[in-house]
Amino acid sequence: MAIREILKYPHPLLKKRSGEVDRIDGEIKRLIQDMTETMYDAGGVGLAAPQVGISRRILVIDVSPIDPEQRLFAMINPKIVWEEGEIDHEEGCLSVPDCLEKVKRKEKVRVRGISPEGDEVEISGEGILAFAFQHEMDHLDGVLILDRVSPLKRDIYRRKVKKERRKEETA
Ligand SMILES: [Zn+2]
């Protein structure tokens, strides 16, 4: 296992739509292990493959630090098959550091996908598990929390990042 680098906004790969996985081989299994280790190392509760530079529809989620009844799992080619309710949820993102924004999310979702063992699985979630699903699935479509806030807030963050970059370059 290895910890991989988490890409940060405005890396272009984060804007790309990821492709479906059609074969779960050793490389995909290794990627899932690395994603898990990378997520834990960064203190996150979810991670999507494009965040480590791989444009494939894979996510790992472990919201047990917030909801102890949940546990770690990985899902390949996830699709929302049912959803209910709507709520504003404040969330951050490992790829968008120092940014906490309220985002519109469904309260409950049911998601169908493939397990790392190749079985079709369906997982229902509400609260933090539902939000984590939606957040990580956004990544698979090249969508960041910044794309879900007002243009003004997006602009403020964009300028902040630019300024920090300039500081780094002149340091
Ligand atoms: Zn994220």
Side-chain angles (χ1 to χ4, degrees), residues 51 92-95 135-136 139:
Q51 289 182 278
C93 176
L94 295 173
S95 294
H135 181 108
E136 301 315 329
H139 277 300

Side-chain angles (χ1 to χ4, degrees), residues 8-149:
K8 305 278 186 332
Y9 172 87
H11 197 291
L13 263 185
L14 294 169
K15 295 293 292 173
K16 209 178 142 192
R17 193 180 166 5
S18 292
E20 298 229 328
V21 175
D22 41 40
R23 205 169 73 90
I24 304 170
D25 53 16
E27 205 174 313
I28 295 287
K29 287 187 176 169
R30 213 157 30 245
L31 170 64
I32 289 171
Q33 286 183 344
D34 288 356
M35 283 170 62
T36 304
E37 203 181 352
T38 305
M39 170 182 73
Y40 286 143
D41 178 68
V45 294
L47 196 72
Q51 289 182 278
V52 293
I54 309 290
S55 291
R56 286 281 167 264
R57 303 186 82 78
I58 303 169
L59 53 83
V60 295
I61 288 177
D62 184 355
V63 295
S64 62
I66 298 163
D67 180 353
E69 281 180 21
Q70 303 299 334
R71 57 180 181 84
L72 167 72
F73 64 90
M75 202 186 256
I76 298 161
N77 301 339
K79 281 189 183 76
I80 292 180
V81 292
W82 174 86
E83 57 188 33
E84 192 181 84
E86 202 169 63
I87 197 166
D88 284 328
H89 178 245
E90 191 178 64
E91 49 198 76
C93 176
L94 295 173
S95 294
V96 189
D98 306 318
C99 178
L100 268 182
E101 290 293 348
K102 278 209 164 142
V103 182
K104 265 205 187 350
R105 296 296 189 198
K106 302 296 174 191
E107 285 183 73
K108 300 177 185 176
V109 295
R110 183 153 60 240
V111 182
R112 188 179 297 156
I114 313 286
S115 76
E117 292 73 38
D119 302 316
E120 191 177 273
V121 286
E122 219 173 85
I123 297 177
S124 300
E126 58 181 294
I128 184 64
L129 179 55
F131 305 143
F133 260 130
Q134 293 167 81
H135 181 108
E136 301 315 329
M137 287 173 72
D138 265 358
H139 277 300
L140 305 181
D141 291 328
V143 173
L144 297 174
I145 50 174
L146 288 174
D147 299 308
R148 294 199 175 274
V149 299

Side-chain angles (χ1 to χ4, degrees), residues 152-166:
L152 178 68
K153 283 186 175 170
R154 189 157 54 234
D155 203 45
I156 290 170
Y157 187 79
R158 193 182 291 144
R159 273 192 236 163
K160 193 172 98 174
V161 170
K162 263 193 198 157
K163 214 164 137 187
E164 275 165 20
R165 279 190 156 186
R166 262 204 305 273

